[in-house]
């Protein structure tokens, strides 16, 4: 059994529906797929509509954007019994959705102010079913200014860019506690992205339940290090491709966990 526990649908900044993404994952040899759209749970409703038709097992989660020590840290939430989140989390995410709209408009304004990059919010929104994120803005820059995704992102939309606007000011600790109060566990997404930015034990000591220890950017040494941390601190060891599309991120199934780690996760979540 193989589980890729981090992917995105068109409900945030991916390209596939829940059903279609599950089919892609099956074709790539994945048996269990985690769908963790950014800061929203719109995929959960879609999941319920197609649940009985899915070719593989799907876990619906969420990826929260948070901050620690001036660094952006992403936290994945997975729900006990693969069921509904709590009302507090739903309310929090509904508010965040509205803030993401304002954020996208501010980024577009900043691109004009700082880089003389002129793109239109309504044009982007017309082609997006879910929430507008940086990948959608990057795609429009590429279309209009004939750049690659990599070029556009590095030039204009890294976290240090003057055009960048944070999604929220939620702290890591606040996100972990919010998930724990709302029927979910919390996993540190792609800790490799925060490597050497702060002490990893800071996050572990906040009550995180697991680390996404197998990730496409990792070296074998990195993955071994995260395995060591998980074993030492009794954390879940997870994996994910972070699939968005076939251009900007890794393909479904690039990183995965197998039987022993899957069993530990399912035991924790009370999933049969």
């Amino acid at each position: 059994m193989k589980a890729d526990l981090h992917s995105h649908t068109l409900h945030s900044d991916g390209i596939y529906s829940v059903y279609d993404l599950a089919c892609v994952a099956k074709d790539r040899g994945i048996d269990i797929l985690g769908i963790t759209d950014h800061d929203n749970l719109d995929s959960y409703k879609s999941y319920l509509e197609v649940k009985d038709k899915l070719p593989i097992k799907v876990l619906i989660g969420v990826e929260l954007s948070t901050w620690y020590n001036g660094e952006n840290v992403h936290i994945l939430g997975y729900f006990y019994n693969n069921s509904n989140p709590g009302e507090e989390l739903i309310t929090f995410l509904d508010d965040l959705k509205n803030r993401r709209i304002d954020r996208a408009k501010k980024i577009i304004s900043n691109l004009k102010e700082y880089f003389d990059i002129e793109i239109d919010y309504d044009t982007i929104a017309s082609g997006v079913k879910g929430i507008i994120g940086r990948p959608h803005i990057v795609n429009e820059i590429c279309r209009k200014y004939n750049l690659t995704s990599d070029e556009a992102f590095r030039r204009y939309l890294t976290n240090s860019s003057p055009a960048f606007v944070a999604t929220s000011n939620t702290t890591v600790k606040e996100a972990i506690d919010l998930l724990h109060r709302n029927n979910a566990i919390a996993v540190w997404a792609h800790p490799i992205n925060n490597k050497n930015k702060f002490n990893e034990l800071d996050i572990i000591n906040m009550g995180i339940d697991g680390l996404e220890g197998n990730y496409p950017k990792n070296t074998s040494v990195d993955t071994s290090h995260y395995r060591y941390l998980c074993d030492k601190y009794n954390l879940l060891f997870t994996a994910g491709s972070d699939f968005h599309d076939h251009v900007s991120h890794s393909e479904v199934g690039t990183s995965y966990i197998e039987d022993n780690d899957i069993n530990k996760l399912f035991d924790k979540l009370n999933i049969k």
Side-chain angles (χ1 to χ4, degrees):
M1 296 282 283
K2 294 180 180 179
D4 176 348
L5 298 167
H6 185 170
S7 66
H8 300 274
T9 72
L10 47 72
H11 291 292
S12 62
D13 49 1
I15 59 172
Y16 290 118
S17 67
V18 170
Y19 178 81
D20 289 342
L21 184 53
C23 292
V24 171
K26 178 178 173 58
D27 288 344
R28 292 188 60 84
I30 292 299
D31 305 289
I32 301 163
L33 180 69
I35 291 177
T36 50
D37 282 321
H38 292 286
D39 298 319
N40 83 88
L41 284 164
D42 292 348
S43 57
Y44 187 69
K45 181 179 179 181
S46 296
Y47 163 75
L48 293 177
E49 292 171 353
V50 299
K51 180 179 177 181
D52 296 333
K53 303 175 185 177
L54 293 171
I56 60 174
K57 189 172 189 66
V58 167
L59 305 184
I60 297 295
V62 65
E63 184 172 11
L64 300 178
S65 180
T66 74
W67 293 90
Y68 177 70
N69 203 32
E71 295 294 327
N72 195 208
V73 180
H74 287 192
I75 303 297
L76 299 165
Y78 301 100
F79 300 103
Y80 290 100
N81 300 308
N82 200 26
S83 64
N84 303 37
E87 287 299 322
E88 181 190 9
L89 179 60
I90 292 172
T91 299
F92 172 84
L93 293 174
D94 284 344
D95 179 61
L96 202 54
K97 185 184 295 187
N98 293 328
R99 279 186 276 162
R100 270 187 168 270
I101 294 171
D102 294 337
R103 176 212 190 203
K105 291 179 178 179
K106 180 60 177 173
I107 288 175
I108 290 168
S109 173
N110 287 349
L111 286 167
K112 174 61 178 174
E113 178 179 352
Y114 294 109
F115 299 108
D116 200 30
I117 293 290
E118 193 163 355
I119 56 176
D120 179 61
Y121 175 85
D122 291 334
T123 299
I124 299 172
S126 67
V128 176
K129 182 175 181 180
I131 296 171
I132 294 176
R134 274 188 287 181
H136 302 119
I137 296 172
V138 164
N139 288 342
E140 182 63 10
I141 294 173
C142 294
R143 185 191 70 80
K144 192 166 181 181
Y145 292 91
N146 196 30
L147 297 172
T148 67
S149 295
D150 229 23
E151 288 172 328
F153 186 83
R154 282 188 289 103
R155 288 187 194 180
Y156 307 120
L157 281 175
T158 63
N159 287 359
S160 59
S161 168
F164 175 73
V165 178
T167 304
S168 75
N169 59 1
T170 305
T171 69
V172 172
K173 178 61 173 168
E174 287 170 342
I176 292 171
D177 290 347
L178 176 66
L179 289 168
H180 285 167
R181 291 195 303 270
N182 286 270
N183 196 39
I185 65 168
V187 172
W188 184 1
H190 38 64
I192 190 66
N193 286 357
N194 304 117
K195 186 177 180 180
N196 299 325
K197 301 293 179 63
F198 47 76
N199 191 328
E200 293 161 325
L201 290 181
D202 293 351
I203 306 298
I204 291 171
N205 289 334
M206 290 178 193
I208 203 80
D209 299 293
L211 306 179
E212 190 174 55
N214 189 4
Y215 188 75
K217 290 183 181 179
N218 289 12
T219 66
S220 59
V221 172
D222 294 322
T223 300
S224 295
H225 172 66
Y226 297 130
R227 173 67 73 180
Y228 164 78
L229 289 177
C230 288
D231 290 345
K232 182 174 181 178
Y233 295 100
N234 194 29
L235 302 172
L236 297 166
F237 182 92
T238 75
S241 62
D242 200 4
F243 175 78
H244 288 66
D245 52 54
H246 299 291
V247 178
S248 64
H249 289 72
S250 298
E251 292 289 344
V252 176
T254 305
S255 295
Y256 54 85
I257 53 172
E258 296 185 271
D259 295 353
N260 189 47
D261 292 311
I262 294 172
N263 290 337
K264 287 181 180 179
L265 175 66
F266 276 27
D267 285 347
K268 177 78 172 180
L269 293 175
N270 194 28
I271 295 174
K272 304 302 181 186

